[in-house]
Every structure is written in structure tokens, then in C-alpha cells.
Amino acid sequence: MAEVLAATTGSDWRSLDPENTLYVELPAGRVIIELAPAFAPHYVANVKALVRSGYFDGAVMLRSQDNYVVQWGDPNSGDSGKAKSIGNAQKSVAAELDRPLSSEVPFTRLADGDIYAPQAGHSLGFPVASDPKSNRMWLAHCYGMVGAGRGDTIDSGNGGELYVVIGHAPRHLDRNVTLLGRVVQGMELLSTFPRGTGGMGFYTEGIERPVIRGAKIAADVPEAQRTPLEVLRTESPAFQKLIEARRNRPESWFVHKAGKIDLCNVPLPVRVRAAASSTIH
Amino acid sequence: MAEVLAATTGSDWRSLDPENTLYVELPAGRVIIELAPAFAPHYVANVKALVRSGYFDGAVMLRSQDNYVVQWGDPNSGDSGKAKSIGNAQKSVAAELDRPLSSEVPFTRLADGDIYAPQAGHSLGFPVASDPKSNRMWLAHCYGMVGAGRGDTIDSGNGGELYVVIGHAPRHLDRNVTLLGRVVQGMELLSTFPRGTGGMGFYTEGIERPVIRGAKIAADVPEAQRTPLEVLRTESPAFQKLIEARRNRPESWFVHKAGKIDLCNVPLPVRVRAAASSTIH
């Protein structure tokens, strides 16, 4: 993997779009989420409206369920007297579970197959599954993917509670709840929260829940305070080489080459932009 | 899932064999590992010899790599002057990467297929993959599986460093390193250790590594201090019902039924034996 990445060129990488990059500031550091407007345009817009209204300032981790998800939001959302204002955001947003396969949005197929869908692959840096028969594709619940918690009805979420996958990919959630992004930095801050002892990993009364200092859209943060991340383009030939190097690991440590790779085991490399290209930019 | 489990009978469950149950005592609580002598007889025997020689008393977490593994062992194993004695245990044990498919050991096939192997399923409570052509089966690297760390050569491990999968199943490790058991209690203690900041998640010099108080084989612990766990038999019809309830989730929350389930998403239920059956026993 290191060799493949060392052989990449600048054009194999792209900078995150500040307008679609979410910073969640925890006491231990910054979690960075790339939002996915191509897949969940209305949810992304609503999350941004919530962030810009200060909705996540004072939010807490509500839930940390082992081998599943962490989830955060307003601790008082159930109490109309104390609930945080949602500003200009919507109270609920219709689910965005899939989108058309179309030439407007790339789909790079993974040759290895998928248990849960007719096809799997990548699009714009995200793991996706697809069904050529129905001509739809959708974001897949891999480690680090970010979704919008919802209630019993499919359209009841609004992005005010966000969850992140911290365990083996719960792909049975695909097309049951809206995914809207992926954590590109800071997963280790989310994955190590103590697990909640209530049902579904909710923190129970009386326990101090981990606090969120606040959230910002990167575009609203002075450039000097942004984290200049780049992600490897999943449409690049370099990405295909990377997949092959993971499918059949060349290191001598491996005595048995897997020959295959599962969608959610494909690494999606992220790096801090080198200072040189940063000044050109 | 709750309904399926509520409908089970006592014979759907089995108690852990105290002679093949490993307790790893952490300051935060007990981690319980069911050993797999049917798959790694010599490694299991060596781990037991190490445990009984006190090898893991004073061991530490060496490594915590996000979305991958934690690994523990003797912090001084590289220093012949300070390294812990291995007692009657072997310095190295030949890899036990797979075993014959045979009528002596059950194999319950999962109908859903597998990316990494011709077949997948369960055997004696463990997730396994198999190849009918070569007539072999092997333990699969799912969340919670326990393996024996090794060096560059395939036969260089001895069970003195044990790792546990804490992320998306790294199935590319299958048949590259010996798996010897599964964590049946206490995963949340292992999965939340701070990640190491060195390469491969190793804790770097100067950081206080999480400590292991000691390890015991359950048979050597007074019965009153044992944890009376039972696991659902993976050969039982109840287990098949459970798989189906997870493959097509009946809860109304789900608007899209997956129709399939990945090997490493199949839950392997564990419960504390009820007091009534405990007294009969």
C-alpha cells in the first residue's frame, strides 16, 4: 500500500470541498466528515443549516454501541422546553436512500462481488452498492460512514442526530436509513468512547456523556484553521492499483493471498496536503 | 432476535468448557475467550501452558490499531534478560491455519455466500470458511476472533502474543495466521483502548500501556468465581431461525429487507446461565 501511494501523482488526489466538509470538534480533537451531496442532497443541506444555526454546540454523544455505531445529538431534543432551536433547518427530511446510476456521477465497480447487492464499488470517494436492473446506487454502511438517525418512520430524520459506524459493516442498514458522508479523520476518537450500558448502547441517566464542543462547516472556518486534507480519487488508476495490492498482498508476511476483497475492506486513503501544493493553491 | 432467543430451549445452549475457557483479567473487568481446540489444538495447548505458568501476569496491551486489532503480550519479550519465562510452553508452534472438513466436527453452511471463500458457515460456535474442493475449513477473522501474533515466518508464533479483531473483519488474514478462539464477553473493554500512535497501532515509548492483571483457565478458578456463560449452539435449529431473523429483519423499522447476511454479521449469542439450571448442574 505504501508503495502504491508513493507512486501516485498530485492529480490522483483531490482536496476536500470546504463547503461539504464538516468539522466536529471534540475535546480530544477534530473529527472530519466529508459530506455526500450527490447521494443525500437534502440531508446534507439540512445538516449544514443545523451546523450553521449552532445546533451541535452543546451536543453530546447519546450512544456508543460496541461493534455498531456511535450517535450524537441534542441531549434535550425530547423536551420541547429545552430542545435546541433548529434555526432555518427542517424538522424532518424525506429519506434519501438511493439515487440513479447515471453518467453524471461516477461508479467504479469492484470486481469482487458483494453479499448484499448485485454490485459494489466506489463513487466520489464513497463505498457504494448498486443494482443495474433498477438502475440505482446507494451509499454502503462501511466502517466510518455517517448517517442520519431516524425514528420509526422512514422520513422522520433531519440530520440532527448523526451516527457513525464503528464496527463490522452493518450492511443490513443500507437503504433503511440515510447515509450522508464519511469520516475522513478522527475515527479513533469516536470508536474509543466507552460503550453505553443501556439498550442499543445508549448512555443511561447519571452517566457523563462525552461532549461535543461544536461543529462547523470547513468553509466557515478561517483557512489557517482548516485541516488541508486530500483524498485519493476513487476514479483514478492509482486507486485500482491500491485495490489490487490489497486483494493480493505482496508482502512476504502473507503466505496465502486472499484473491478477493470485500467492499468495506478497501482502504480510502486520506493525506494532509503537502505545504508546497498548499501554497500554490 | 429477542423473540427467537426467548423461544429457545435449554438444549439449544451449551455451557463453556472450563478447560477451554480463558479469562483475561483487566482492571476494568474480565474478558472471556472460548478457545478452539478443534481448530488449533497445539496453539490452544500452548496458550494454556503459558497461562498456567503465569506468563500473562504483568502482560500489557502492546497495540491498539483502529478498525483492526488489539494485541497483548510480555512487554519485555524482546529482552532476553527481562523476558518472562514461558515455563513448560513451547517457544514456537507450527501454524494451524485450517483443518479437514470431516464428520467429526460440524459445519453448518451459511446459504448467503462469501467473498473470500467458496463457502462460509459455523462450527462449534465459531465463524468458519471452507473449501469443499480441498476439503478444508478454517476459522474466519470476524469481530472478536482471537489469534496468535507471529513474526515474519509462518511458524514463529506461540500464543504469547494474542490479538483480537476490533474492526471490520480483516478476512485477508484468514489462513495467514493462527486463530485459536473468540471473545464471548468483554469485547467492549478491548475495543475502547486508546489507539496506539505508532505504526500498526503500537503504543510508543513513554505511553502508559493498558495493563493485564493476569490470565487464568476457567477450570483453575474456583467455581464460585467463574462466569457461568452459555452460548447458543450453532448446530441448533434455533440458530438457523436467528440467522433468518437477521437476514430479513422483521421489525417494522426496516423498510428494505437485506435478504442476505454476511458471515461476520451473524450474531453468536451468549448468556449467563440461569440460576435454576446452575443449581441443577
Side-chain angles (χ1 to χ4, degrees):
Chain A
M1 176 152 154
E3 280 175 37
V4 173
L5 294 182
T8 58
T9 63
S11 62
D12 293 327
W13 300 79
R14 63 178 168 81
S15 295
L16 295 184
D17 171 10
E19 190 56 44
N20 286 302
T21 301
L22 172 60
Y23 292 163
V24 179
E25 307 287 357
L26 304 178
R30 179 177 279 177
V31 173
I32 304 180
I33 294 167
E34 180 171 26
L35 299 170
F39 289 86
H42 297 99
Y43 267 88
V44 166
N46 213 52
V47 166
K48 288 160 70 172
L50 287 166
V51 167
R52 284 170 166 153
S53 79
Y55 185 79
F56 292 105
D57 305 343
V60 300
M61 284 293 144
L62 301 168
R63 176 183 182 197
S64 169
Q65 183 172 2
D66 199 57
N67 193 21
Y68 205 50
V69 299
V70 292
Q71 187 167 328
W72 64 85
D74 174 11
N76 300 309
S77 65
D79 178 340
S80 58
K82 291 192 200 167
K84 193 105 181 173
S85 159
I86 62 170
N88 294 324
Q90 303 296 313
K91 265 194 197 174
S92 60
V93 178
E96 294 173 306
L97 303 178
D98 59 8
R99 59 152 291 140
L101 274 165
S102 87
S103 55
E104 287 161 40
V105 173
F107 170 67
T108 309
R109 187 177 173 186
L110 185 67
D112 307 69
D114 191 64
I115 298 294
Y116 289 90
Q119 296 188 352
H122 295 86
S123 178
L124 301 171
F126 298 99
V128 297
S130 70
D131 180 1
K133 276 193 194 162
S134 63
N135 206 42
R136 309 293 290 181
M137 71 170 158
W138 56 92
L139 295 175
H141 276 84
C142 295
Y143 191 88
M145 290 295 286
V146 183
R150 67 164 171 92
D152 286 340
T153 58
I154 188 70
D155 296 332
S156 56
N158 78 337
E161 287 196 9
L162 295 173
Y163 67 90
V164 176
V165 174
I166 59 160
H168 188 77
R171 296 283 308 280
H172 59 285
L173 296 177
D174 289 5
R175 288 183 287 172
N176 277 297
V177 58
T178 302
L179 287 169
L180 53 79
R182 182 175 83 86
V183 173
V184 291
Q185 182 182 296
M187 267 309 295
E188 73 284 2
L189 304 179
L190 298 173
S191 61
T192 53
F193 284 125
R195 305 309 182 217
T197 53
M200 296 167 64
F202 277 91
Y203 292 108
T204 45
E205 297 268 335
I207 283 204
E208 241 179 279
R209 291 177 288 203
V211 168
I212 290 173
R213 285 201 179 144
K216 294 273 185 204
I217 301 302
D220 302 341
V221 172
E223 197 156 350
Q225 293 165 32
R226 293 184 201 162
T227 310
L229 293 187
E230 295 183 329
V231 294
L232 188 66
R233 291 181 194 274
T234 50
E235 297 78 36
S236 67
F239 184 65
Q240 291 305 312
K241 282 182 200 159
L242 177 69
I243 291 175
E244 179 51 28
R246 300 295 285 191
R247 190 185 276 136
N248 292 299
R249 297 282 289 254
E251 302 96 320
S252 62
W253 188 90
F254 287 87
V255 297
H256 174 82
K257 294 190 192 304
K260 297 271 188 170
I261 191 164
D262 172 27
L263 173 67
C264 294
N265 264 328
V266 174
L268 297 169
V270 178
R271 69 179 187 185
V272 175
R273 188 168 60 232
S277 62
S278 176
T279 54
I280 289 164
H281 189 76
Chain B
M1 175 151 155
E3 279 173 40
V4 173
L5 293 182
T8 56
T9 62
S11 62
D12 293 327
W13 299 79
R14 63 178 167 82
S15 294
L16 295 185
D17 171 9
E19 190 55 43
N20 286 303
T21 301
L22 173 60
Y23 292 163
V24 180
E25 306 287 357
L26 304 177
R30 179 177 278 177
V31 173
I32 303 180
I33 294 168
E34 179 171 27
L35 299 169
F39 289 85
H42 297 98
Y43 267 89
V44 166
N46 214 53
V47 166
K48 287 160 71 172
L50 288 166
V51 167
R52 284 172 165 152
S53 79
Y55 186 78
F56 292 106
D57 305 344
V60 301
M61 284 292 144
L62 300 168
R63 177 183 182 197
S64 168
Q65 184 172 1
D66 200 56
N67 192 21
Y68 204 51
V69 299
V70 292
Q71 186 168 328
W72 65 86
D74 174 11
N76 300 310
S77 65
D79 179 339
S80 58
K82 290 193 203 166
K84 193 106 180 173
S85 159
I86 62 170
N88 295 323
Q90 303 296 312
K91 265 192 193 172
S92 60
V93 178
E96 294 173 304
L97 303 177
D98 58 7
R99 59 154 291 141
L101 274 165
S102 86
S103 55
E104 287 161 40
V105 173
F107 170 67
T108 309
R109 188 176 173 187
L110 185 68
D112 306 68
D114 191 65
I115 298 294
Y116 289 90
Q119 296 189 352
H122 295 85
S123 177
L124 301 171
F126 297 99
V128 298
S130 70
D131 181 0
K133 276 192 195 162
S134 63
N135 205 43
R136 308 295 290 181
M137 72 169 159
W138 55 91
L139 296 174
H141 276 84
C142 295
Y143 191 87
M145 289 296 286
V146 183
R150 67 163 172 90
D152 286 340
T153 57
I154 188 70
D155 296 331
S156 57
N158 78 338
E161 286 196 10
L162 294 173
Y163 67 89
V164 176
V165 174
I166 60 160
H168 187 77
R171 295 284 308 279
H172 60 284
L173 296 178
D174 289 4
R175 288 183 288 172
N176 277 297
V177 59
T178 301
L179 288 169
L180 53 80
R182 181 175 84 86
V183 174
V184 290
Q185 181 182 297
M187 268 309 295
E188 74 284 2
L189 304 179
L190 298 172
S191 62
T192 53
F193 284 123
R195 306 310 183 216
T197 52
M200 296 166 65
F202 277 91
Y203 292 108
T204 46
E205 296 269 334
I207 283 204
E208 241 179 280
R209 292 177 287 201
V211 167
I212 289 174
R213 283 200 180 145
K216 293 275 185 201
I217 301 302
D220 302 340
V221 172
E223 198 157 348
Q225 293 166 32
R226 293 184 200 161
T227 309
L229 293 186
E230 295 183 329
V231 294
L232 188 65
R233 291 181 194 274
T234 51
E235 297 77 35
S236 67
F239 184 65
Q240 291 306 311
K241 282 182 198 158
L242 178 69
I243 291 175
E244 179 52 29
R246 301 294 285 192
R247 189 185 276 135
N248 291 300
R249 296 283 290 253
E251 302 95 320
S252 62
W253 189 89
F254 287 87
V255 298
H256 174 82
K257 294 190 192 300
K260 296 270 189 173
I261 190 165
D262 171 27
L263 174 65
C264 294
N265 264 328
V266 174
L268 297 169
V270 177
R271 70 179 186 185
V272 175
R273 188 170 58 234
S277 64
S278 175
T279 54
I280 289 163
H281 188 74

